Amino acid sequence: MLKEVQRNELFCAYYAKWIQVYKKGAIREVTMDKYRMAHQWLEKIAPTLKIYELSRITYQQILNDYALSHERQTTMDFHHQLKGAILDAVDEGLIDRDPTRKAIIKGKVPAAKKIKYINQYELHTLLNSLKLASTVSWDWLLLLIAKTGARFSEALAVTPQDFDFTRQTLSISKTWDYKGNGGFMPTKNKSSVRKVQLDWQTVIQFSTLIKGLPKSQPIFVEPGQKVYNSTVNDILERHCKHANIPVISIHGLRHTHASLLLFAGVSIASVARRLGHASMTTTQKTYLHIIQELENKDIDLVMRSLASLS
């Protein structure tokens, strides 16, 4: 398909073909949607731009136009989604030089950031407000994510046979396609396949809850049921307001789990494994503010230790 491309073809048309050839079937559908969205924006911003017209100036103008309505990080993602196609076009001889070189990433002023996590007392208050009846409910899902740090899609995919109560572990090896048509899907990456250690209280609670449930069926999703992230977020918001604590999202429960472990002195490596991060770098970037705060405490500890030597 790409062999038929000419230098005078529209860049947005080339990009659409490039996505089909190189990305379709090679990446997760959720990621594929991001490339499709990038293509839609390209059609709005530069509908008449031809491949041979791509230069550092024209490419920078595309980024600048996109940045008018997006924050810097989103613009950076847009840049990376376009860059792969452009570099291939350079390799094919459709463009003389790499127009993405030294690109400057801009963006509108970020909106006020929502609170990403709550402290230990607030989490304790939240968990006490959950209505944990003898039957499965979304409150049980909130408890599971708070205690394991699992992603929303991972928690939805949990089945009774994933629990090993003897070893006190939960096996995470799949996700639930709640954004699509349902069904099991692979985890985000290979590192996301993991066994999460459970505390004894969680073991007792879930061993009672799942007794008699189908071993290989999702605990929280009924057959044919459509699950929406917003539904569970609304339930969590009501609990937060009722408990008079800051409102966080489902993903905020995962952040809370990780932050409490870090503040407790658990190593970054152990937290990364528990969360299923591909590398410790991901953990460090995500929780940089917490790590810096802990480093400041470490400096005080070092100084006190050194002072005691005199």
Side-chain angles (χ1 to χ4, degrees):
M1 186 185 294
L2 288 179
K3 287 181 180 179
E4 301 169 3
V5 175
Q6 302 296 323
R7 283 169 57 89
N8 63 351
E9 182 169 351
L10 292 176
F11 175 51
C12 56
Y14 167 78
Y15 186 65
K17 291 179 182 177
W18 182 84
I19 293 173
Q20 285 294 109
V21 172
Y22 289 106
K23 296 300 177 182
K24 189 174 183 181
I27 57 177
R28 289 160 59 95
E29 193 61 28
V30 173
T31 310
M32 186 69 175
D33 286 340
K34 294 177 182 178
Y35 278 91
R36 293 190 184 109
M37 183 62 71
H39 174 249
Q40 291 176 13
W41 273 101
L42 196 57
E43 287 185 316
K44 292 179 184 178
I45 295 170
T48 61
L49 183 70
K50 295 180 179 179
I51 296 176
Y52 75 88
E53 294 174 324
L54 267 172
S55 63
R56 284 187 61 199
I57 290 178
T58 55
Y59 181 70
Q60 186 65 56
Q61 190 59 56
I62 290 173
L63 294 182
N64 291 352
D65 290 345
Y66 184 83
L68 290 175
S69 55
H70 295 84
E71 294 181 14
R72 188 178 184 280
Q73 183 56 55
T74 311
T75 306
M76 177 69 80
D77 295 339
F78 180 67
H79 163 59
H80 286 307
Q81 285 155 4
L82 296 184
K83 187 174 180 178
I86 292 173
L87 293 181
D88 281 347
V90 173
D91 289 343
E92 292 290 332
L94 301 172
I95 307 173
D96 295 330
R97 296 185 183 88
D98 177 13
T100 68
R101 191 175 68 87
K102 294 185 179 179
I104 297 172
I105 309 300
K106 305 174 185 178
K108 68 175 187 177
V109 177
K113 298 296 183 183
K114 292 183 179 179
I115 295 173
K116 287 188 174 181
Y117 66 94
I118 52 180
N119 62 37
Q120 187 168 355
Y121 170 76
E122 291 165 341
L123 179 61
H124 182 71
T125 305
L126 172 64
L127 296 184
N128 280 340
S129 75
L130 298 180
K131 295 178 175 59
L132 303 174
S134 59
T135 55
V136 176
S137 67
W138 291 126
D139 281 19
W140 281 103
L141 180 79
L142 297 180
L143 176 67
L144 185 67
I145 294 176
K147 288 295 190 81
T148 63
R151 299 177 178 91
F152 180 60
S153 59
E154 293 172 341
L156 286 178
V158 168
T159 65
Q161 65 187 8
D162 292 327
F163 285 95
D164 185 338
F165 295 121
T166 304
R167 294 182 173 83
Q168 291 189 211
T169 61
L170 171 65
S171 176
I172 295 177
S173 59
K174 55 195 176 302
T175 61
W176 187 258
D177 183 23
Y178 69 93
K179 292 183 179 180
N181 297 319
F184 292 119
M185 290 180 64
T187 53
K188 187 174 184 180
N189 50 58
K190 290 182 180 179
S191 302
S192 295
V193 177
R194 61 201 188 277
K195 289 187 185 296
V196 179
Q197 203 71 32
L198 303 172
D199 63 276
W200 65 268
Q201 188 177 19
T202 304
V203 167
I204 293 172
Q205 288 174 304
F206 275 90
S207 61
T208 303
L209 177 70
I210 68 173
K211 194 173 293 182
L213 295 180
K215 296 292 184 183
S216 59
Q217 294 299 312
I219 296 171
F220 300 104
V221 185
E222 296 177 6
Q225 179 188 10
K226 179 68 177 176
V227 179
Y228 296 96
N229 181 272
S230 58
T231 302
V232 188
N233 270 327
D234 288 344
I235 293 171
L236 176 56
E237 181 178 347
R238 288 198 294 272
H239 278 299
C240 289
K241 288 180 177 178
H242 182 262
N244 198 27
I245 62 174
V247 174
I248 58 171
S249 65
I250 290 293
H251 202 67
L253 273 182
R254 175 173 160 87
H255 285 314
T256 297
H257 180 84
S259 63
L260 292 182
L261 294 181
L262 289 169
F263 277 123
V266 179
S267 71
I268 295 174
S270 295
V271 173
R273 282 195 298 271
R274 189 170 177 89
L275 295 181
H277 283 164
S279 69
M280 282 192 292
T281 304
T282 305
T283 315
Q284 289 170 325
K285 286 181 179 178
T286 307
Y287 303 102
L288 179 62
H289 58 295
I290 296 174
I291 293 168
Q292 288 173 336
E293 192 173 334
L294 292 173
E295 284 177 346
N296 291 335
K297 290 182 180 179
D298 286 344
I299 291 172
D300 292 339
L301 182 60
V302 169
M303 292 301 101
R304 286 200 300 271
S305 299
L306 292 176
S308 67
L309 296 175
S310 59

Short mmCIF file of all heavy atoms in Angstrom, two decimals, residues 130 136-143 152 156 220-221 225-228 231-232 235:
data_model
loop_
_atom_site.label_atom_id
_atom_site.label_comp_id
_atom_site.label_asym_id
_atom_site.label_seq_id
_atom_site.Cartn_x
_atom_site.Cartn_y
_atom_site.Cartn_z
N LEU A 130 -17.55 1.83 53.13
CA LEU A 130 -18.03 0.88 52.11
C LEU A 130 -19.07 -0.07 52.71
O LEU A 130 -18.94 -0.50 53.85
CB LEU A 130 -16.86 0.07 51.55
CG LEU A 130 -15.75 0.84 50.83
CD1 LEU A 130 -14.66 -0.11 50.34
CD2 LEU A 130 -16.30 1.65 49.67
N VAL A 136 -21.74 -9.74 45.87
CA VAL A 136 -20.80 -8.91 45.13
C VAL A 136 -21.43 -7.56 44.79
O VAL A 136 -22.60 -7.47 44.40
CB VAL A 136 -20.37 -9.61 43.81
CG1 VAL A 136 -19.49 -8.70 42.98
CG2 VAL A 136 -19.66 -10.92 44.13
N SER A 137 -20.65 -6.50 44.96
CA SER A 137 -21.09 -5.15 44.61
C SER A 137 -19.87 -4.35 44.19
O SER A 137 -18.73 -4.81 44.32
CB SER A 137 -21.78 -4.48 45.81
OG SER A 137 -20.82 -4.26 46.85
N TRP A 138 -20.11 -3.13 43.69
CA TRP A 138 -18.99 -2.28 43.27
C TRP A 138 -18.14 -1.86 44.47
O TRP A 138 -16.96 -1.58 44.33
CB TRP A 138 -19.51 -1.04 42.53
CG TRP A 138 -20.09 -1.33 41.19
CD1 TRP A 138 -21.33 -0.99 40.74
CD2 TRP A 138 -19.47 -2.04 40.10
NE1 TRP A 138 -21.52 -1.44 39.45
CE2 TRP A 138 -20.40 -2.08 39.04
CE3 TRP A 138 -18.22 -2.64 39.93
CZ2 TRP A 138 -20.10 -2.69 37.81
CZ3 TRP A 138 -17.93 -3.27 38.72
CH2 TRP A 138 -18.87 -3.29 37.68
N ASP A 139 -18.74 -1.85 45.67
CA ASP A 139 -17.96 -1.51 46.86
C ASP A 139 -16.84 -2.53 47.08
O ASP A 139 -15.74 -2.18 47.54
CB ASP A 139 -18.86 -1.45 48.09
CG ASP A 139 -19.64 -0.14 48.16
OD1 ASP A 139 -19.75 0.54 47.11
OD2 ASP A 139 -20.12 0.22 49.25
N TRP A 140 -17.11 -3.78 46.75
CA TRP A 140 -16.08 -4.82 46.87
C TRP A 140 -14.94 -4.57 45.86
O TRP A 140 -13.78 -4.82 46.16
CB TRP A 140 -16.69 -6.20 46.64
CG TRP A 140 -17.42 -6.74 47.82
CD1 TRP A 140 -18.77 -6.79 48.01
CD2 TRP A 140 -16.84 -7.32 49.01
NE1 TRP A 140 -19.07 -7.36 49.23
CE2 TRP A 140 -17.90 -7.69 49.86
CE3 TRP A 140 -15.53 -7.55 49.41
CZ2 TRP A 140 -17.69 -8.28 51.10
CZ3 TRP A 140 -15.31 -8.14 50.65
CH2 TRP A 140 -16.38 -8.50 51.49
N LEU A 141 -15.29 -4.07 44.69
CA LEU A 141 -14.27 -3.75 43.69
C LEU A 141 -13.37 -2.62 44.20
O LEU A 141 -12.15 -2.66 44.04
CB LEU A 141 -14.92 -3.34 42.38
CG LEU A 141 -13.95 -2.97 41.25
CD1 LEU A 141 -13.39 -4.23 40.60
CD2 LEU A 141 -14.62 -2.10 40.18
N LEU A 142 -13.98 -1.61 44.83
CA LEU A 142 -13.21 -0.50 45.39
C LEU A 142 -12.23 -1.01 46.44
O LEU A 142 -11.07 -0.58 46.50
CB LEU A 142 -14.16 0.54 46.02
CG LEU A 142 -15.14 1.24 45.06
CD1 LEU A 142 -16.01 2.23 45.84
CD2 LEU A 142 -14.41 1.95 43.94
N LEU A 143 -12.70 -1.93 47.28
CA LEU A 143 -11.83 -2.50 48.31
C LEU A 143 -10.66 -3.25 47.68
O LEU A 143 -9.51 -3.09 48.10
CB LEU A 143 -12.64 -3.45 49.19
CG LEU A 143 -11.82 -4.20 50.26
CD1 LEU A 143 -11.30 -3.23 51.30
CD2 LEU A 143 -12.67 -5.29 50.92
N PHE A 152 -8.14 -0.67 36.93
CA PHE A 152 -9.58 -0.92 36.86
C PHE A 152 -9.88 -2.12 35.96
O PHE A 152 -10.65 -3.01 36.33
CB PHE A 152 -10.28 0.34 36.33
CG PHE A 152 -11.78 0.20 36.20
CD1 PHE A 152 -12.57 -0.07 37.31
CD2 PHE A 152 -12.40 0.35 34.96
CE1 PHE A 152 -13.95 -0.19 37.20
CE2 PHE A 152 -13.78 0.23 34.84
CZ PHE A 152 -14.56 -0.04 35.96
N LEU A 156 -11.54 -5.79 37.10
CA LEU A 156 -12.77 -6.30 36.47
C LEU A 156 -12.59 -7.73 35.97
O LEU A 156 -13.55 -8.50 35.92
CB LEU A 156 -13.19 -5.41 35.30
CG LEU A 156 -13.79 -4.05 35.61
CD1 LEU A 156 -14.09 -3.29 34.33
CD2 LEU A 156 -15.05 -4.16 36.45
N PHE A 220 -16.91 -9.43 39.10
CA PHE A 220 -17.63 -8.15 39.12
C PHE A 220 -18.43 -7.86 37.85
O PHE A 220 -19.09 -6.82 37.77
CB PHE A 220 -16.64 -7.01 39.38
CG PHE A 220 -15.90 -7.15 40.68
CD1 PHE A 220 -14.58 -7.57 40.70
CD2 PHE A 220 -16.54 -6.88 41.87
CE1 PHE A 220 -13.89 -7.69 41.90
CE2 PHE A 220 -15.87 -7.00 43.08
CZ PHE A 220 -14.54 -7.41 43.10
N VAL A 221 -18.36 -8.73 36.85
CA VAL A 221 -19.08 -8.49 35.59
C VAL A 221 -20.02 -9.66 35.32
O VAL A 221 -19.58 -10.80 35.18
CB VAL A 221 -18.11 -8.32 34.41
CG1 VAL A 221 -18.89 -7.95 33.14
CG2 VAL A 221 -17.06 -7.26 34.71
N GLN A 225 -23.18 -7.98 30.62
CA GLN A 225 -23.25 -6.67 31.27
C GLN A 225 -22.23 -5.70 30.68
O GLN A 225 -21.08 -6.06 30.47
CB GLN A 225 -23.02 -6.81 32.78
CG GLN A 225 -23.05 -5.48 33.54
CD GLN A 225 -22.63 -5.65 34.99
OE1 GLN A 225 -22.14 -6.72 35.40
NE2 GLN A 225 -22.79 -4.60 35.79
N LYS A 226 -22.64 -4.48 30.41
CA LYS A 226 -21.74 -3.42 29.95
C LYS A 226 -21.29 -2.61 31.16
O LYS A 226 -22.12 -2.13 31.93
CB LYS A 226 -22.45 -2.52 28.94
CG LYS A 226 -21.62 -1.37 28.40
CD LYS A 226 -20.48 -1.85 27.53
CE LYS A 226 -19.71 -0.67 26.94
NZ LYS A 226 -18.54 -1.11 26.17
N VAL A 227 -19.99 -2.49 31.33
CA VAL A 227 -19.44 -1.79 32.48
C VAL A 227 -18.86 -0.45 32.04
O VAL A 227 -18.15 -0.38 31.04
CB VAL A 227 -18.34 -2.62 33.16
CG1 VAL A 227 -17.75 -1.86 34.34
CG2 VAL A 227 -18.89 -3.96 33.61
N TYR A 228 -19.18 0.59 32.80
CA TYR A 228 -18.65 1.93 32.50
C TYR A 228 -17.78 2.41 33.66
O TYR A 228 -18.19 2.33 34.82
CB TYR A 228 -19.79 2.92 32.26
CG TYR A 228 -20.63 2.58 31.04
CD1 TYR A 228 -21.82 1.86 31.18
CD2 TYR A 228 -20.23 2.97 29.77
CE1 TYR A 228 -22.60 1.54 30.07
CE2 TYR A 228 -21.00 2.64 28.65
CZ TYR A 228 -22.18 1.94 28.81
OH TYR A 228 -22.93 1.62 27.70
N THR A 231 -19.47 4.94 35.92
CA THR A 231 -20.44 4.44 36.91
C THR A 231 -19.75 4.20 38.25
O THR A 231 -20.23 4.63 39.30
CB THR A 231 -21.09 3.13 36.42
OG1 THR A 231 -21.74 3.36 35.18
CG2 THR A 231 -22.09 2.61 37.44
N VAL A 232 -18.61 3.51 38.20
CA VAL A 232 -17.89 3.19 39.44
C VAL A 232 -17.25 4.45 40.02
O VAL A 232 -17.17 4.60 41.24
CB VAL A 232 -16.83 2.10 39.16
CG1 VAL A 232 -16.22 1.62 40.48
CG2 VAL A 232 -17.46 0.91 38.44
N ILE A 235 -19.84 6.20 42.04
CA ILE A 235 -20.05 5.53 43.32
C ILE A 235 -18.94 5.92 44.30
O ILE A 235 -19.19 6.24 45.47
CB ILE A 235 -20.10 4.00 43.14
CG1 ILE A 235 -21.35 3.61 42.35
CG2 ILE A 235 -20.07 3.29 44.50
CD1 ILE A 235 -21.38 2.16 41.92
#
